[in-house]
Amino acid sequence: MQRQGTPPLFRRGPPAEVRLVVLVVLALVLIIMDSQWRMLEPARRTIAVALYPFQRAVMAPRDLVQQVNEWVNAANRIRSENEALQRQRIELAQVASHAAQLAAENAQLRRLLGVTDTVDQSAVVVEVMYEPANAFTQRLVFNKGSKAGLAPGMPVIDEGGVVGQIVRVTPMTAEAALVTDEQVSIPVQLLRNGLRLIAFGGNSPGKMEVRYLAANADIKEGDTIVTSGVGGLFPAGLPVAKVTSVERDTASGFARAVCEPLAHPERYRHFLVLQVDVARAESNRQEVDSGGSD
């Protein structure tokens, strides 16, 4: 008959205290030996290599979250940098445009100052405030008026020639009619032969006309007309326009010349107003008119 073994529950062995002491002593011995001779280093490396896949598997979710956060942060940073670069590009473009505008205005002002050297007349530099919206008149409103010494009748010029004439002033502003306005008439003469004429604002936009010419008058396309100085308002020799066409009517015995102004008020903001003696010019004109009537 086979003998039955003792159940594990009732199996006897060394007491727990003895086992604890043995394990503590063994641990101390291993610690001392490892600290002195590094005897457990191969085992430690082997265990570390074996545990590495499990460590990576456990850390994979954290690494994935970090990677996603880095991508999101990088995309936001790139978007912010692109917006900053676009904003900087726009600002630099505005600065460059403003600098170019200032350079152009400074160049024009220098040219205007050069004009004052050639004209024996005091002048006031004015700036265009706005252009009245009127299809029937061609006017400019300047930022200076009677307080700056401006008065109706004074001529307005730029480096190209005569721009127009002051027609209305207030203490702070002045309104000028361009040479192409129908209300403006300027005593002129042909630069080529000295023929004296009167130039008027034309019926065509941007044009001037010389009317009431004799059909055989010595005027032709390409002639330059300048101020004659007659009347005293416009100093003699200022460029006014160039003849673009001449219409001769042999039946009526008259001719008409169409001219293009040499000044370009639509291109600039600054002009010169010549401070001529308007009262004296008006007095001279009245004397001439009274002498002619006598």
Side-chain angles (χ1 to χ4, degrees):
M1 185 173 180
Q2 187 177 359
R3 183 179 178 181
Q4 296 180 351
T6 303
L9 179 65
F10 302 100
R11 185 178 299 170
R12 294 179 177 275
E17 293 80 0
V18 175
R19 288 196 295 250
L20 176 62
V21 171
V22 172
L23 291 175
V24 169
V25 172
L26 179 62
L28 292 175
V29 171
L30 291 175
I31 291 173
I32 294 173
M33 293 177 62
D34 184 61
S35 62
Q36 294 293 328
W37 297 288
R38 299 287 181 181
M39 298 180 62
L40 298 180
E41 188 64 26
R44 187 180 292 111
R45 285 198 298 268
T46 302
I47 295 173
V49 170
L51 292 178
Y52 179 77
F54 300 98
Q55 293 175 347
R56 297 303 304 171
V58 172
M59 296 173 61
R62 187 207 65 174
D63 295 340
L64 180 62
V65 172
Q66 290 181 348
Q67 190 70 27
V68 171
N69 289 334
E70 290 178 359
W71 287 343
V72 173
N73 294 334
N76 292 334
R77 185 168 58 253
I78 292 173
R79 187 185 306 106
S80 300
E81 291 177 354
N82 286 338
E83 292 176 356
L85 290 174
Q86 291 291 339
R87 186 164 51 250
Q88 184 179 10
R89 181 182 63 82
I90 294 173
E91 292 174 353
L92 290 176
Q94 293 176 349
V95 170
S97 176
H98 185 60
Q101 180 183 4
L102 290 178
E105 290 181 356
N106 288 336
Q108 193 222 354
L109 288 174
R110 286 194 295 269
R111 292 194 297 269
L112 286 178
L113 293 177
V115 172
T116 59
D117 296 335
T118 61
V119 177
D120 188 16
Q121 192 73 50
S122 59
V124 177
V125 178
V126 294
E127 182 179 356
V128 176
M129 292 179 60
Y130 63 92
E131 184 175 355
N134 192 330
F136 301 100
T137 59
Q138 301 180 44
R139 306 289 176 89
L140 294 176
V141 177
F142 300 130
N143 63 338
K144 295 180 181 179
S146 58
K147 285 189 176 181
L150 305 187
M154 290 183 176
V156 182
I157 66 172
D158 66 5
E159 63 269 24
V162 179
V163 172
Q165 189 175 21
I166 301 293
V167 294
R168 186 180 296 108
V169 296
T170 67
M172 304 301 296
T173 63
E175 183 176 345
L178 302 182
V179 292
T180 53
D181 192 285
E182 293 183 354
Q183 297 184 11
V184 176
S185 61
I186 305 174
V188 296
Q189 65 182 25
L190 290 182
L191 187 62
R192 177 172 55 86
N193 55 18
L195 179 63
R196 288 192 299 274
L197 311 163
I198 301 292
F200 300 88
N203 295 323
S204 301
K207 298 293 184 180
M208 299 181 69
E209 294 181 359
V210 178
R211 306 168 186 165
Y212 315 120
L213 291 171
N216 59 351
D218 186 11
I219 183 173
K220 59 184 180 180
E221 182 178 343
D223 279 344
T224 300
I225 59 175
V226 298
T227 53
S228 63
V230 175
L233 283 179
F234 291 88
L238 296 176
V240 178
K242 180 168 290 188
V243 178
T244 57
S245 64
V246 179
E247 301 174 2
R248 303 181 189 272
D249 187 352
T250 56
S252 63
F254 290 99
R256 182 177 72 96
V258 179
C259 308
E260 182 177 355
L262 295 175
H264 298 283
E266 72 280 358
R267 299 181 183 177
Y268 306 116
R269 294 175 53 194
H270 298 88
F271 301 94
L272 289 180
V273 178
L274 301 182
Q275 294 180 298
V276 299
D277 192 344
V278 178
R280 181 178 178 181
E282 184 65 21
S283 176
N284 293 337
R285 188 184 65 81
Q286 291 177 358
E287 290 179 1
V288 171
D289 292 343
S290 62
S293 61
D294 291 341

